[in-house]
Amino acid sequence: DIQMTQSPSSLSASVGDRVTITCRASQSISIYLNWYQQKSGTAPKLLIYAASTLQSGVPSRFTGSGSGTDFTLTISSLQPEDFATYYCQQSYTTPRTFGQGTKVEIK
Amino acid sequence: QVQLQESGPGLVKPSETLSLTCSVSGGSISSYYWSWIRQPAGKGLEWIGRMYNSGSINYNPSLKSRATMSVDTSKSQFSLKLSSVTAADTAVYYCAREVEAAGRSLDYWGQGTLVTVSS
Protein backbone atom coordinates (compact mmCIF):
# COMPACT_ATOMS: atom_id res chain seq x y z
CA ASP A 1 0.00 0.00 0.00
CA ILE A 2 1.09 3.59 -0.57
CA GLN A 3 1.65 5.34 2.76
CA MET A 4 0.63 8.98 3.03
CA THR A 5 2.29 11.08 5.72
CA GLN A 6 1.02 14.52 6.62
CA SER A 7 2.79 17.16 8.64
CA PRO A 8 2.20 18.66 11.02
CA SER A 9 -0.40 16.55 12.78
CA SER A 10 -1.83 19.71 14.28
CA LEU A 11 -1.19 23.40 14.24
CA SER A 12 -2.47 26.54 15.92
CA ALA A 13 -2.98 29.63 13.84
CA SER A 14 -4.76 32.94 13.90
CA VAL A 15 -7.32 34.36 11.54
CA GLY A 16 -5.47 35.90 8.62
CA ASP A 17 -2.43 33.64 8.91
CA ARG A 18 -0.96 31.78 5.98
CA VAL A 19 -1.05 28.05 6.66
CA THR A 20 0.79 25.27 4.86
CA ILE A 21 0.22 21.54 5.27
CA THR A 22 2.46 18.99 3.62
CA CYS A 23 1.72 15.48 2.45
CA ARG A 24 4.33 12.94 1.39
CA ALA A 25 3.66 9.70 -0.46
CA SER A 26 5.82 6.61 0.03
CA GLN A 27 6.18 6.31 -3.75
CA SER A 28 5.45 8.48 -6.74
CA ILE A 29 1.75 9.10 -7.32
CA SER A 30 2.09 11.60 -10.19
CA ILE A 31 -0.60 14.20 -9.46
CA TYR A 32 -3.19 11.78 -8.09
CA LEU A 33 -3.45 13.62 -4.82
CA ASN A 34 -6.63 15.04 -3.32
CA TRP A 35 -7.30 17.23 -0.29
CA TYR A 36 -10.37 17.12 1.94
CA GLN A 37 -11.61 19.27 4.79
CA GLN A 38 -13.57 17.72 7.62
CA LYS A 39 -15.37 19.66 10.31
CA SER A 40 -16.42 17.98 13.52
CA GLY A 41 -19.37 15.64 13.08
CA THR A 42 -19.62 16.06 9.33
CA ALA A 43 -18.46 14.22 6.23
CA PRO A 44 -15.23 15.22 4.52
CA LYS A 45 -15.54 17.80 1.79
CA LEU A 46 -13.41 17.77 -1.37
CA LEU A 47 -11.24 20.89 -1.65
CA ILE A 48 -8.64 20.12 -4.29
CA TYR A 49 -8.17 17.26 -6.73
CA ALA A 50 -5.35 16.25 -9.03
CA ALA A 51 -2.92 18.03 -6.71
CA SER A 52 -3.83 21.57 -7.72
CA THR A 53 -7.33 21.84 -9.19
CA LEU A 54 -9.79 23.68 -7.00
CA GLN A 55 -13.13 21.94 -6.61
CA SER A 56 -16.09 24.06 -7.72
CA GLY A 57 -17.31 26.37 -4.98
CA VAL A 58 -14.14 26.19 -2.88
CA PRO A 59 -12.65 29.62 -2.03
CA SER A 60 -9.54 30.64 -3.93
CA ARG A 61 -7.55 31.08 -0.70
CA PHE A 62 -7.02 27.31 -0.89
CA THR A 63 -4.25 26.22 -3.21
CA GLY A 64 -2.54 22.91 -3.81
CA SER A 65 0.77 22.08 -5.39
CA GLY A 66 3.22 19.27 -5.93
CA SER A 67 3.74 16.13 -7.92
CA GLY A 68 5.49 12.82 -7.50
CA THR A 69 5.83 12.32 -3.76
CA ASP A 70 5.62 15.77 -2.19
CA PHE A 71 2.52 17.93 -2.01
CA THR A 72 1.30 20.98 -0.15
CA LEU A 73 -2.01 22.56 0.74
CA THR A 74 -1.85 26.27 1.45
CA ILE A 75 -4.50 28.50 2.94
CA SER A 76 -3.44 32.02 2.08
CA SER A 77 -5.44 33.85 4.76
CA LEU A 78 -7.06 31.65 7.37
CA GLN A 79 -10.73 32.34 7.99
CA PRO A 80 -12.83 31.31 11.00
CA GLU A 81 -14.64 28.69 8.94
CA ASP A 82 -11.32 27.03 7.99
CA PHE A 83 -10.68 25.58 11.42
CA ALA A 84 -11.05 21.88 10.71
CA THR A 85 -9.06 18.73 10.02
CA TYR A 86 -7.49 18.32 6.60
CA TYR A 87 -6.71 15.01 4.90
CA CYS A 88 -4.73 14.17 1.82
CA GLN A 89 -5.60 11.08 -0.20
CA GLN A 90 -3.83 9.32 -3.02
CA SER A 91 -5.95 8.09 -5.92
CA TYR A 92 -3.07 6.70 -7.97
CA THR A 93 -3.81 3.10 -7.11
CA THR A 94 -5.92 0.89 -4.89
CA PRO A 95 -6.23 0.59 -2.02
CA ARG A 96 -6.79 4.31 -1.82
CA THR A 97 -5.05 5.68 1.26
CA PHE A 98 -5.37 8.82 3.35
CA GLY A 99 -2.93 10.80 5.40
CA GLN A 100 -3.48 10.78 9.15
CA GLY A 101 -4.93 14.28 9.10
CA THR A 102 -3.85 17.75 10.16
CA LYS A 103 -5.99 19.52 12.70
CA VAL A 104 -6.01 23.31 12.33
CA GLU A 105 -6.94 24.98 15.59
CA ILE A 106 -7.51 28.53 16.70
CA LYS A 107 -4.52 30.20 18.34
CA GLN B 1 -27.45 18.12 -6.88
CA VAL B 2 -26.23 14.62 -6.16
CA GLN B 3 -27.11 13.32 -2.71
CA LEU B 4 -26.02 10.16 -0.97
CA GLN B 5 -27.67 8.66 2.10
CA GLU B 6 -26.42 5.72 4.12
CA SER B 7 -28.84 3.42 5.94
CA GLY B 8 -28.60 0.29 8.03
CA PRO B 9 -28.51 -1.01 11.59
CA GLY B 10 -26.63 1.11 14.07
CA LEU B 11 -25.80 -1.87 16.28
CA VAL B 12 -24.32 -5.18 15.18
CA LYS B 13 -23.26 -8.08 17.36
CA PRO B 14 -19.70 -9.41 17.25
CA SER B 15 -19.13 -12.16 14.65
CA GLU B 16 -22.24 -11.10 12.71
CA THR B 17 -22.46 -9.28 9.37
CA LEU B 18 -22.72 -5.53 9.04
CA SER B 19 -25.00 -4.47 6.18
CA LEU B 20 -25.28 -0.92 4.86
CA THR B 21 -26.99 0.63 1.86
CA CYS B 22 -26.24 3.91 0.14
CA SER B 23 -29.07 5.55 -1.79
CA VAL B 24 -28.08 7.90 -4.60
CA SER B 25 -30.36 10.69 -5.77
CA GLY B 26 -30.03 13.64 -8.11
CA GLY B 27 -27.79 11.84 -10.56
CA SER B 28 -27.07 8.61 -12.35
CA ILE B 29 -25.53 5.68 -10.53
CA SER B 30 -24.00 4.55 -13.79
CA SER B 31 -20.62 5.66 -15.10
CA TYR B 32 -19.06 6.25 -11.69
CA TYR B 33 -17.17 4.32 -9.06
CA TRP B 34 -19.00 4.18 -5.72
CA SER B 35 -16.96 3.91 -2.57
CA TRP B 36 -17.17 3.10 1.11
CA ILE B 37 -14.94 4.79 3.68
CA ARG B 38 -15.02 4.46 7.44
CA GLN B 39 -13.76 6.47 10.39
CA PRO B 40 -13.45 5.21 13.97
CA ALA B 41 -14.25 7.82 16.59
CA GLY B 42 -11.44 10.34 16.88
CA LYS B 43 -9.37 8.67 14.17
CA GLY B 44 -8.60 9.03 10.50
CA LEU B 45 -10.24 7.82 7.32
CA GLU B 46 -9.95 4.27 6.05
CA TRP B 47 -10.90 3.33 2.50
CA ILE B 48 -12.94 0.12 2.38
CA GLY B 49 -13.47 -0.33 -1.34
CA ARG B 50 -15.11 0.84 -4.53
CA MET B 51 -17.26 -0.63 -7.25
CA TYR B 52 -18.41 0.18 -10.77
CA ASN B 53 -21.76 -1.32 -11.81
CA SER B 54 -20.72 -4.67 -10.28
CA GLY B 55 -18.26 -5.11 -13.11
CA SER B 56 -15.17 -3.83 -11.35
CA ILE B 57 -14.69 -3.99 -7.61
CA ASN B 58 -11.64 -3.19 -5.51
CA TYR B 59 -11.41 -3.94 -1.80
CA ASN B 60 -8.91 -2.94 0.83
CA PRO B 61 -6.81 -6.06 1.50
CA SER B 62 -6.63 -5.01 5.16
CA LEU B 63 -10.21 -6.24 5.54
CA LYS B 64 -9.05 -9.77 4.75
CA SER B 65 -11.85 -10.58 2.31
CA ARG B 66 -14.62 -9.76 4.79
CA ALA B 67 -16.10 -7.02 2.61
CA THR B 68 -18.60 -7.51 -0.20
CA MET B 69 -20.02 -4.69 -2.29
CA SER B 70 -22.97 -4.80 -4.68
CA VAL B 71 -25.12 -2.42 -6.68
CA ASP B 72 -28.79 -2.26 -7.59
CA THR B 73 -29.00 0.19 -10.46
CA SER B 74 -32.80 -0.10 -10.64
CA LYS B 75 -33.02 1.35 -7.13
CA SER B 76 -29.98 3.66 -7.46
CA GLN B 77 -28.46 1.97 -4.45
CA PHE B 78 -25.21 0.26 -3.63
CA SER B 79 -24.42 -1.82 -0.60
CA LEU B 80 -21.69 -3.00 1.71
CA LYS B 81 -21.57 -6.18 3.73
CA LEU B 82 -18.79 -6.75 6.24
CA SER B 83 -18.69 -10.18 7.81
CA SER B 84 -17.32 -11.46 11.12
CA VAL B 85 -17.29 -8.02 12.69
CA THR B 86 -15.45 -7.18 15.88
CA ALA B 87 -15.29 -4.08 18.06
CA ALA B 88 -12.54 -2.81 15.75
CA ASP B 89 -15.18 -2.36 13.03
CA THR B 90 -17.05 0.22 15.12
CA ALA B 91 -16.93 3.42 13.10
CA VAL B 92 -18.84 6.01 11.13
CA TYR B 93 -19.32 4.58 7.66
CA TYR B 94 -19.49 6.90 4.67
CA CYS B 95 -20.47 6.23 1.09
CA ALA B 96 -19.02 8.48 -1.60
CA ARG B 97 -18.76 8.92 -5.36
CA GLU B 98 -15.38 8.66 -7.09
CA VAL B 99 -15.01 10.72 -10.25
CA GLU B 100 -12.42 9.70 -12.85
CA ALA B 101 -12.54 13.09 -14.53
CA ALA B 102 -11.67 14.81 -11.24
CA GLY B 103 -8.51 12.93 -10.51
CA ARG B 104 -10.46 9.98 -9.12
CA SER B 105 -11.39 12.10 -6.15
CA LEU B 106 -14.41 11.63 -3.89
CA ASP B 107 -16.63 14.55 -4.78
CA TYR B 108 -19.92 13.65 -3.08
CA TRP B 109 -20.27 12.02 0.31
CA GLY B 110 -23.13 10.77 2.41
CA GLN B 111 -23.56 12.21 5.88
CA GLY B 112 -22.25 9.02 7.45
CA THR B 113 -23.83 6.43 9.70
CA LEU B 114 -22.45 5.19 13.00
CA VAL B 115 -22.19 1.45 13.35
CA THR B 116 -21.36 0.06 16.77
CA VAL B 117 -20.27 -3.53 17.21
CA SER B 118 -21.31 -4.74 20.64
CA SER B 119 -23.15 -7.59 22.25
Side-chain angles (χ1 to χ4, degrees):
Chain A
D1 298 2
I2 296 176
Q3 305 303 315
M4 306 301 294
T5 304
Q6 288 181 233
S7 61
S9 295
S10 64
L11 64 90
S12 296
S14 301
V15 172
D17 284 354
R18 181 182 181 90
V19 169
T20 298
I21 299 168
T22 65
C23 179
R24 175 164 289 177
S26 59
Q27 66 183 74
S28 177
I29 57 172
S30 184
I31 61 166
Y32 287 97
L33 190 283
N34 311 304
W35 290 98
Y36 302 87
Q37 175 194 64
Q38 186 179 34
K39 297 182 180 179
S40 181
T42 68
K45 171 189 172 183
L46 177 64
L47 295 178
I48 288 171
Y49 63 89
S52 62
T53 303
L54 203 63
Q55 172 69 344
S56 176
V58 174
S60 59
R61 62 180 179 273
F62 291 93
T63 58
S65 65
S67 66
T69 60
D70 294 313
F71 302 86
T72 61
L73 172 69
T74 300
I75 309 172
S76 60
S77 178
L78 199 65
Q79 298 301 301
E81 60 268 30
D82 301 337
F83 292 95
T85 299
Y86 295 83
Y87 293 94
C88 62
Q89 179 225 8
Q90 65 82 14
S91 52
Y92 181 76
T93 189
T94 59
R96 306 290 193 238
T97 46
F98 292 88
Q100 81 277 19
T102 295
K103 187 172 184 178
V104 177
E105 298 176 301
I106 301 173
K107 193 171 187 177
Chain B
Q1 176 79 347
V2 175
Q3 292 186 313
L4 287 74
Q5 178 68 57
E6 303 91 348
S7 60
L11 181 64
V12 182
K13 290 182 168 56
S15 79
E16 295 190 345
T17 296
L18 175 162
S19 295
L20 296 174
T21 296
C22 182
S23 299
V24 180
S25 60
S28 173
I29 198 168
S30 302
S31 305
Y32 294 100
Y33 274 96
W34 299 94
S35 304
W36 289 97
I37 300 98
R38 68 181 182 179
Q39 185 174 37
K43 297 190 177 180
L45 300 162
E46 180 183 26
W47 184 83
I48 297 171
R50 67 170 189 165
M51 69 176 302
Y52 186 96
N53 285 345
S54 296
S56 175
I57 305 177
N58 303 104
Y59 296 111
N60 193 327
S62 69
L63 295 171
K64 296 181 172 62
S65 302
R66 295 190 295 126
T68 303
M69 296 177 64
S70 61
V71 65
D72 186 338
T73 53
S74 66
K75 294 182 178 179
S76 287
Q77 294 178 337
F78 63 103
S79 300
L80 169 71
K81 292 187 186 297
L82 188 64
S83 63
S84 305
V85 297
T86 69
D89 296 309
T90 294
V92 174
Y93 286 74
Y94 296 101
C95 56
R97 187 180 81 168
E98 182 179 288
V99 183
E100 179 71 32
R104 308 169 191 165
S105 60
L106 300 163
D107 65 343
Y108 285 101
W109 295 64
Q111 65 184 28
T113 188
L114 174 63
V115 178
T116 301
V117 178
S118 176
S119 55

